[in-house]
């Protein structure tokens, strides 16, 4: 023990080397067991072992270990012995066993660790000796602690709506040991244990489940370890509230106590009010509508009747009624009595007994009463039997079993052999339609049963066109059969506004020429194996009762397609004109459908369509295209949201084709701008012998409650003179109003200029071809030149001016302006001939564009090229989105669609096989 300190490690090394040079068995006994024969409990064991530690900045760390019984303890760091001089040794005795114990401590500096930094981790362990052998402690790792300044990801400012979730990400700076993260809200710690609406993820992101107004604050992410504490930049979270409308107030009292006035209602953007930059409510806060309060009319007595004959009681009487006029609308009743009685013989009359004549009179009256009672019973019995017959649940089976009778067969073109064509299969057996044409609400299911036969089979090479083979017999018979059903009693008895045909799974098209009304039946819309006889009907507004509420107005014709209740597997497309000028802030448009019970209901609010809805609508500038899987009676109705809402009117000027008298009548028609309205007037004027004398004009008629005014100006007084009386008629056509006042009682005679058509007569849309007739009178029969101006304008609105300069005896230059053009030639087209796109080409396009494409060269791109991308959700809800797009293209572009443009749009999608879709007009 007296050795110098520098010689002790050398001596220890020699001893260790000698031990290591010993035999393997002896070496094993030394390491694991005491010397043979020695006691087993003298092998050192550690009371204290070195532990992992971090070096903070430049401060050295202290490692310590303690063992008993131990004669020597040394540290080994990274496989190298630590110098003896670097050890601090303390010897003692173990209090529990009394054996000698030794405790050793060393200091490890930052420089020592940095020498091996990057190669391996720096470690140290103790080795203890006793007379029985050696024991090693666990390794203690020494690491340099640090925490970098910059966060790997800092939270960002956000604006979120109320009740919306918020996620603030935070990735702390790199450091050893790993940094712990906490969040501050306005410098106050966020504790998920106290607030269940927030939690912190394993990735240290702060999540607010549902944002509250109280969550508007500055959020800071704090990272810390034993070295330092870092703060991220603060992220401002703003929880905003979008404004919401309160409920409408009740309509105010009408501004006019008598007659037409205004009433309004309002709402406020306070449910909730916008907060923290939230959006203000969209739409109007005030709605205004017209109202009419009926003026009270006081009753007035009619003249007294003549005195009755003198009665047995020596009195006679006379009466009067309070009906000239009768009191109404809260008016006061007539004052006084309605019966006046007085003595008729100056009290000289005495009662007398009844003679034989009086007895005969009473007997006759009783006999008449008995006869009337018997007649009433007979009428009741007849009525009950007829009602039973009408209520029987059997429809005329011939509605659906009439045969396919083609009369026009066009051969296919020789250079187009791939086209799918059809020929009639007259051997097919059709079945009957059993049951009511309107499905019962309580029935188990539809009663429509058809055979599996195909009326149209894809054989041969010809196209077939179905149209009325006998207009005077077959068409009238078809209408007569439909009109026997209770639901169809309002169908027109004529056939000019009706089309019908027999269809199977190949589909087809019905159209009513020159009306803008058509029905497209796409392929596979009718189930395979079934055959339907389908009709399309255009109704006159005055023939169908369509109740309109508030400020609603009819914008389209009323159209029926049927029979209702048949099963369709794909939507058909009903096309019809409308006269509205749609705008997001001016109109609220609704599609109405009449139920089998006769009531009308809103089935679609345009702009709020759901993809899974039974009805969908594409609204163009002058037409609407309704996708529907249920046939029935439809109409497009608009409700004006502001005075900016306008309807398009068509102004037409007609005059007699030949003038044989001194009078010359100019009729100014103010029509809804639809093909159907123009068609009716043209047909009417042909019957009346009229001709068009000016080019038609359009007029925007606003919902301003102002009337339409018409006037004639600049008439040469030397050649013509204007009649004072001008006729205006809501229904029908008034040629002129005679100065003597002997015109038709249904015609309103107006005196003076200008004349007016009431606002509501035009706006409600249910009164057709309204017009005013101006009558001019020639001074001389030789006068043939007419020059004047006709003005038509809405009070405080738009107007049109017509300059008339013509020879009334021979001027026919405008006669061809309204020549009716044929739409496709026939009312019904069956199979491939009803479509512009060849069947095989259509199938190729569908097969190629339906599957999603990573390069976006699929049906979505085609919809964008055709400006239909606003309907992507509707197309995506169908089994074949491409088929829906092509069906809509067919409905919008038949028969004059440019097939080359469609082919170019398809070819431009970038598909590898896009050349397959190139279609020439010759192939069609």
């Amino acid at each position: 023990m007296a050795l110098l300190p520098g010689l002790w490690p050398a001596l220890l090394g020699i001893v260790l080397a000698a031990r290591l040079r010993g035999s393997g068995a002896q070496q094993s006994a030394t390491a694991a067991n005491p010397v043979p024969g020695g006691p087993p409990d003298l092998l050192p064991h550690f009371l204290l072992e070195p532990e992992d530690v971090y070096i903070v900045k430049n401060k050295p760390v202290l490692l310590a270990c303690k063992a008993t019984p131990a004669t020597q303890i040394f540290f080994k760091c990274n496989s190298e012995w630590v110098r003896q001089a670097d050890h601090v040794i303390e010897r003692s005795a173990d209090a529990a066993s009394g054996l000698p114990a030794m405790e050793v401590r060393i200091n490890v500096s930052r420089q020592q660790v940095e020498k091996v930094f990057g190669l391996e981790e720096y470690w140290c362990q103790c080795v203890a000796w006793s007379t029985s052998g050696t024991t090693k402690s666990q390794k203690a790792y020494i690491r340099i602690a640090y925490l970098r300044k910059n966060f790997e990801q800092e939270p960002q400012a956000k604006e979120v709506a109320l009740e919306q979730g918020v996620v603030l990400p935070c990735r702390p700076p790199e450091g050893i040991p790993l940094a712990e993260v906490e969040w501050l809200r306005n410098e106050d710690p966020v504790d998920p244990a106290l607030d269940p609406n927030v939690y912190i993820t394993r990735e240290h992101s702060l999540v607010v489940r549902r944002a509250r107004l109280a969550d508007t604050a500055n959020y800071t992410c704090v990272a810390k370890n034993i070295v330092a504490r870092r703060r991220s930049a603060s992220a401002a979270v703003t929880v905003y509230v979008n404004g919401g409308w309160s409920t409408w107030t009740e309509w105010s009292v009408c501004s006019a106590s008598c007659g037409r006035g205004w009433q309004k209602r309002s709402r406020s953007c306070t449910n909730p009010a916008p907060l923290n930059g939230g959006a203000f409510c969209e739409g109007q806060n005030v709605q205004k509508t017209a109202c009419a309060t009926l003026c009270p009319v006081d009753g007035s007595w009619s003249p007294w009747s003549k005195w009755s004959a003198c009665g047995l009681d020596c009195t006679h009487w006379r009466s009067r009624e309070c009906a000239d006029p009768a009191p109404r609308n809260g008016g006061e009743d007539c004052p006084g009595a309605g019966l006046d009685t007085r003595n008729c013989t100056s009290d000289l009359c005495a009662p007398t007994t009844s003679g034989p004549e009086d007895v005969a009179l009473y007997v006759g009256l009783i006999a008449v009463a008995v006869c009337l009672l018997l007649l009433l019973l007979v009428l009741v019995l007849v009525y009950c039997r007829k009602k039973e017959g009408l209520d029987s649940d059997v429809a005329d089976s011939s509605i659906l079993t009439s045969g396919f009778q083609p009369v026009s067969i066009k051969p296919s073109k020789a250079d187009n052999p791939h086209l799918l064509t059809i020929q009639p299969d007259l051997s097919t057996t059709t079945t009957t339609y059993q049951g009511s044409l309107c499905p019962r609400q309580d029935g188990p299911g539809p009663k429509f049963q058809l055979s599996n036969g195909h009326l149209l089979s894809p054989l041969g090479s010809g196209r077939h066109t179905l149209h009325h083979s006998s207009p005077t017999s077959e068409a009238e018979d078809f209408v007569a059969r439909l009109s026997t059903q209770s639901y169809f009693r309002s169908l027109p008895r004529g056939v000019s506004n009706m089309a019908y045909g027999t269809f199977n799974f190949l589909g087809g098209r019905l159209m009513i020429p020159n009306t803008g009304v058509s029905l497209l039946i796409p392929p596979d819309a009718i189930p395979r194996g079934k055959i339907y006889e389908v009709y399309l009907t255009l109704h006159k507004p005055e023939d169908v009762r369509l109740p309109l509420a508030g400020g609603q107005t009819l914008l389209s014709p009323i159209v029926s397609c049927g029979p209702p209740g048949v099963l369709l597997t794909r939507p058909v497309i009903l096309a019809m004109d409308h006269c509205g000028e749609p705008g997001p802030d001016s109109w609220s448009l609704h599609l109405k459908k009449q139920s089998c019970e006769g009531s009308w209901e809103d089935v679609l609010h345009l702009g709020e369509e759901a993809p899974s809805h039974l009805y969908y609508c594409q609204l163009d500038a002058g037409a609407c295209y309704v996708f529907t899987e249920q046939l029935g009676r439809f109409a497009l109705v608009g409700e004006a949201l502001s005075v900016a809402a306008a309807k398009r009117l068509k102004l037409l000027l007609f005059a007699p084709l030949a003038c044989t008298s001194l009078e010359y009548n100019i009729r100014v028609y103010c029509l809804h701008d639809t093909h159907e309205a123009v068609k009716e007037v043209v047909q009417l004027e042909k019957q009346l012998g009229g001709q068009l004398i000016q080019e038609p004009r359009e007029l925007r008629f606003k919902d301003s409650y102002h009337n339409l005014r018409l006037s004639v100006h600049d008439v040469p007084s030397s050649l013509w003179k204007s009649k004072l009386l001008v006729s205006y008629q809501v229904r029908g056509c008034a040629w002129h109003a005679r100065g003597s006042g002997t015109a038709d009682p249904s015609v309103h005679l107006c005196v003076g200029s200008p004349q007016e058509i009431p606002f509501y007569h035009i706006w409600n849309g249910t009164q057709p071809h309204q017009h005013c007739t101006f009558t001019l009178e020639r001074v001389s029969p030789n006068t043939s030149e007419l020059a004047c101006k006709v003005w038509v304008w809405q009070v405080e609105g738009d107007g049109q001016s017509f300059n008339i300069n013509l020879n009334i005896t021979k001027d026919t230059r405008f006669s061809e302006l309204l020549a009716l053009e044929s739409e496709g030639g026939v009312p019904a087209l069956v199979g491939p001939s009803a479509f512009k796109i060849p069947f095989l080409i259509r199938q190729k396009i569908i097969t190629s564009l339906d599957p999603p494409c990573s390069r976006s060269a699929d049906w979505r791109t085609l919809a964008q090229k055709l400006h239909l991308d606003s309907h992507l959700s509707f197309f995506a809800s169908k089994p074949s989105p491409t088929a829906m797009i092509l069906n809509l293209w067919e409905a919008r572009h038949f028969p004059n669609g440019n097939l080359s443009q469609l082919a170019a749009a398809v070819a431009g999608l970038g598909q590898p096989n896009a050349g397959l879709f190139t279609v020439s007009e010759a192939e069609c």
Side-chain angles (χ1 to χ4, degrees):
M1 294 301 176
L3 292 175
L4 295 175
L7 296 178
W8 176 250
L11 179 61
L12 179 62
I14 293 173
V15 173
L16 291 176
R19 288 179 177 272
L20 294 174
R21 286 194 298 268
S23 65
Q26 182 181 0
Q27 192 176 24
S28 177
T30 303
N33 297 298
V35 176
D41 56 351
L42 295 181
L43 190 69
H45 68 274
F46 284 94
L47 302 177
L48 175 66
E49 295 184 78
E51 296 180 351
D52 296 343
V53 67
Y54 294 96
I55 296 179
V56 179
K57 297 183 180 179
N58 293 321
K59 297 178 181 179
V61 295
L62 179 67
L63 298 181
C65 63
K66 184 177 181 181
T68 183
T71 58
Q72 290 296 333
I73 300 177
F74 282 92
F75 272 94
K76 181 186 286 187
C77 295
N78 276 35
S79 301
E80 293 183 1
W81 293 101
V82 179
R83 294 186 308 164
Q84 181 185 13
D86 296 333
H87 291 73
V88 177
I89 303 173
E90 291 184 3
R91 299 181 182 273
S92 61
D94 184 24
S97 62
L99 296 175
M102 179 180 289
E103 182 178 356
V104 178
R105 295 186 296 275
I106 66 170
N107 286 322
V108 180
S109 66
R110 184 185 182 102
Q111 289 77 13
Q112 291 176 266
V113 176
E114 286 178 343
K115 287 181 181 180
V116 296
F117 185 79
L119 299 176
E120 59 183 6
E121 291 188 303
Y122 193 88
W123 56 268
C124 293
Q125 69 177 159
C126 290
V127 180
W129 284 267
S130 70
T131 58
S132 300
T134 62
T135 304
K136 294 181 180 181
S137 71
Q138 66 180 9
K139 289 183 178 180
Y141 289 90
I142 299 94
R143 302 178 178 90
I144 298 176
Y146 68 93
L147 183 63
R148 301 195 184 279
K149 292 183 179 181
N150 298 325
F151 281 75
E152 294 186 10
Q153 184 179 8
E154 292 187 298
Q156 301 295 324
K158 289 190 176 183
E159 294 183 357
V160 296
L162 189 68
E163 300 294 328
Q164 182 180 340
V166 185
V167 178
L168 294 177
C170 176
R171 294 173 60 189
E174 179 186 354
I176 294 179
L178 294 177
E180 297 178 357
V181 174
E182 66 177 10
W183 283 88
L184 302 179
R185 178 197 289 135
N186 289 342
E187 301 304 322
D188 294 328
V190 176
D191 189 355
L194 301 178
D195 188 356
N197 193 42
V198 298
Y199 67 93
I200 300 175
T201 66
R202 293 181 179 179
E203 295 78 19
H204 311 299
S205 298
L206 178 65
V207 178
V208 181
R209 291 184 173 89
R210 302 177 65 182
R212 304 156 298 189
L213 291 177
D215 294 320
T216 299
N218 292 322
Y219 289 84
T220 307
C221 181
V222 178
K224 60 182 179 181
N225 63 5
I226 60 176
V227 177
R229 186 172 185 266
R230 311 290 189 199
R231 289 168 56 99
S232 70
S234 294
V237 174
T238 303
V239 180
Y240 63 86
V241 179
N242 291 326
W245 288 116
S246 64
T247 57
W248 287 102
T249 62
E250 296 294 332
W251 286 103
S252 63
V253 179
C254 192
S255 60
S257 59
C258 176
R260 193 179 71 179
W262 298 87
Q263 59 182 157
K264 65 179 180 178
R265 62 177 182 175
S266 62
R267 57 181 178 176
S268 59
C269 190
T270 57
N271 188 30
L275 190 63
N276 294 337
F280 196 77
C281 304
E282 295 183 359
Q284 297 178 327
N285 64 338
V286 177
Q287 279 187 346
K288 197 175 184 181
T289 186
C291 58
T293 305
L294 298 176
C295 299
V297 178
D298 294 338
S300 180
W301 290 113
S302 63
W304 287 105
S305 65
K306 294 182 179 180
W307 288 101
S308 65
C310 192
L312 298 178
D313 57 352
C314 299
T315 61
H316 61 171
W317 52 269
R318 62 177 181 174
S319 64
R320 57 180 178 176
E321 295 182 354
C322 189
D324 191 21
R328 62 179 181 270
N329 306 331
E332 295 185 359
D333 205 352
C334 302
L339 184 65
D340 183 17
T341 305
R342 70 179 183 184
N343 189 282
C344 56
T345 58
S346 301
D347 299 329
L348 298 178
C349 180
T352 60
T353 58
S354 300
E357 296 83 358
D358 295 334
V359 174
L361 176 61
Y362 297 148
V363 172
L365 291 176
I366 294 174
V368 171
V370 172
C371 293
L372 291 176
L373 181 60
L374 293 176
L375 180 60
L376 179 61
L377 291 175
V378 171
L379 292 176
V380 169
L381 291 175
V382 171
Y383 173 77
C384 292
R385 293 199 175 189
K386 286 186 176 182
K387 189 172 186 301
E388 290 176 358
L390 290 176
D391 290 340
S392 61
D393 190 22
V394 179
D396 186 0
S397 63
S398 64
I399 293 178
L400 297 176
T401 57
S402 59
F404 174 64
Q405 300 177 0
V407 298
S408 175
I409 301 180
K410 298 180 181 179
S412 63
K413 298 179 181 179
D415 58 346
N416 196 14
H418 67 277
L419 281 181
L420 179 63
T421 56
I422 56 174
Q423 281 188 347
D425 184 4
L426 301 182
S427 62
T428 303
T429 303
T430 61
T431 58
T432 61
Y433 184 102
Q434 298 176 349
S436 173
L437 291 177
C438 284
R440 296 181 182 271
Q441 300 298 329
D442 56 352
K447 299 181 181 180
F448 193 79
Q449 301 175 354
L450 291 173
S451 69
N452 295 324
H454 293 175
L455 180 60
L456 304 178
S457 59
L459 301 175
S461 60
R463 294 189 193 178
H464 296 268
T465 300
L466 176 66
H467 58 85
H468 303 289
S469 59
S470 55
T472 59
S473 60
E474 182 181 346
E476 293 177 359
D477 177 67
F478 179 79
V479 175
R481 284 186 277 118
L482 288 182
S483 62
T484 59
Q485 305 297 326
S486 60
Y487 181 73
F488 303 107
R489 288 175 184 168
S490 60
L491 289 178
R493 295 302 186 264
V495 294
S496 62
N497 285 340
M498 187 175 189
Y500 64 95
T502 305
F503 302 92
N504 69 348
F505 72 95
L506 291 177
R509 185 189 305 265
L510 287 175
M511 68 187 78
I512 303 176
N514 305 304
T515 62
V517 177
S518 65
L519 180 67
L520 179 73
I521 307 173
D524 289 325
I526 297 176
R528 291 178 179 257
K530 296 193 181 295
I531 304 165
Y532 296 163
E533 187 175 65
V534 183
Y535 68 85
L536 180 65
T537 303
L538 179 63
H539 300 272
K540 293 182 179 180
E542 63 267 28
D543 294 338
V544 178
R545 185 178 181 274
L546 173 61
L548 298 176
Q552 291 183 339
T553 177
L554 181 64
L555 297 179
S556 74
I558 301 176
V559 180
S560 291
C561 54
V566 296
L567 174 65
L568 296 175
T569 56
R570 297 286 189 276
V572 299
I573 302 179
L574 175 65
M576 52 187 178
D577 288 350
H578 69 84
C579 62
E581 290 196 353
D585 300 325
S586 56
W587 284 104
S588 174
L589 301 177
H590 298 264
L591 181 69
K592 286 184 175 288
K593 182 176 183 288
Q594 189 178 27
S595 65
C596 295
E597 291 77 16
S599 61
W600 288 85
E601 55 186 12
D602 292 338
V603 295
L604 179 64
H605 186 184
L606 273 66
E608 299 182 3
E609 302 94 336
S612 59
H613 203 274
L614 291 175
Y615 308 94
Y616 202 85
C617 184
Q618 159 69 21
L619 190 69
D620 287 352
C624 60
Y625 302 89
V626 179
F627 291 82
T628 175
E629 297 182 24
Q630 293 185 356
L631 304 182
R633 183 170 298 165
F634 298 93
L636 183 66
V637 172
E639 182 174 1
L641 300 179
S642 68
V643 294
K647 298 170 69 172
R648 296 189 317 276
L649 299 185
K650 183 76 76 176
L651 306 179
L652 305 177
L653 270 64
F654 283 89
L657 186 61
C659 183
T660 58
S661 65
L662 295 179
E663 290 185 351
Y664 190 75
N665 304 302
I666 299 177
R667 294 178 295 282
V668 184
Y669 287 86
C670 306
L671 315 172
H672 285 173
D673 188 12
T674 61
H675 289 82
E676 175 266 341
V678 174
K679 173 186 175 181
E680 280 202 18
V681 168
V682 171
Q683 292 177 342
L684 177 64
E685 284 293 333
K686 283 185 177 180
Q687 298 174 2
L688 298 175
Q691 66 167 340
L692 192 70
I693 61 173
Q694 273 289 320
E695 294 187 11
R697 303 278 184 87
E698 286 187 4
L699 176 68
R700 293 179 71 255
F701 191 74
K702 295 183 179 179
D703 182 25
S704 61
Y705 299 95
H706 290 296
N707 297 339
L708 189 68
R709 289 186 178 178
L710 304 93
S711 61
V712 177
H713 300 270
D714 301 339
V715 179
S717 59
S718 60
L719 301 176
W720 297 85
K721 60 182 179 180
S722 176
K723 307 282 284 187
L724 290 179
L725 295 182
V726 180
S727 66
Y728 157 65
Q729 188 175 16
V730 175
R731 300 178 182 272
C733 177
W735 274 83
H736 61 277
R738 303 183 186 276
S740 61
T742 59
D744 191 318
S746 65
V747 178
H748 303 285
L749 300 181
C750 312
V751 179
S753 180
Q755 308 307 319
E756 291 192 1
I757 299 179
F759 169 83
Y760 288 104
H761 288 178
I762 296 178
W763 190 257
N764 60 18
T766 59
Q767 300 175 350
H769 43 78
Q770 301 172 96
H771 68 276
C772 276
T773 301
F774 295 96
T775 300
L776 303 176
E777 186 174 353
R778 291 185 287 178
V779 175
S780 169
N782 298 325
T783 300
S784 59
E785 298 295 331
L786 173 61
C788 63
K789 290 183 179 180
V790 176
W791 289 355
V792 183
W793 77 101
Q794 187 181 14
V795 180
E796 300 182 9
D798 296 345
Q800 290 286 358
S801 174
F802 295 86
N803 292 319
I804 299 176
N805 192 349
L806 53 84
N807 187 315
I808 66 173
T809 59
K810 57 182 180 181
D811 198 335
T812 59
R813 56 187 167 180
F814 299 104
S815 59
E816 300 300 325
L817 286 178
L818 290 180
L820 298 179
E821 298 181 359
S822 176
E823 297 179 350
V826 290
L829 296 173
V830 176
S833 62
F835 305 97
K836 290 281 290 183
I837 307 173
F839 185 83
L840 294 181
I841 299 297
R842 170 190 170 93
Q843 294 304 112
K844 291 180 181 179
I845 296 175
I846 293 174
T847 304
S848 179
L849 299 186
D850 268 352
C853 180
S854 59
R855 296 178 294 109
S856 300
D858 56 13
W859 63 269
R860 295 174 179 82
T861 309
L862 177 62
Q864 293 174 356
K865 286 180 174 289
L866 299 179
H867 307 291
L868 300 175
D869 44 331
S870 60
H871 307 313
L872 291 181
S873 58
F874 170 71
F875 296 144
S877 67
K878 301 304 176 184
S880 174
T882 310
M884 292 295 103
I885 297 174
L886 298 181
N887 294 343
L888 181 56
W889 186 92
E890 291 276 8
R892 297 172 73 188
H893 296 87
F894 190 86
N896 301 318
N898 190 334
L899 199 58
S900 298
Q901 291 182 355
L902 176 63
V906 175
L909 296 182
Q911 289 270 1
N913 56 346
L916 295 175
F917 306 143
T918 303
V919 183
S920 65
E921 294 289 351
E923 290 179 290
C924 305

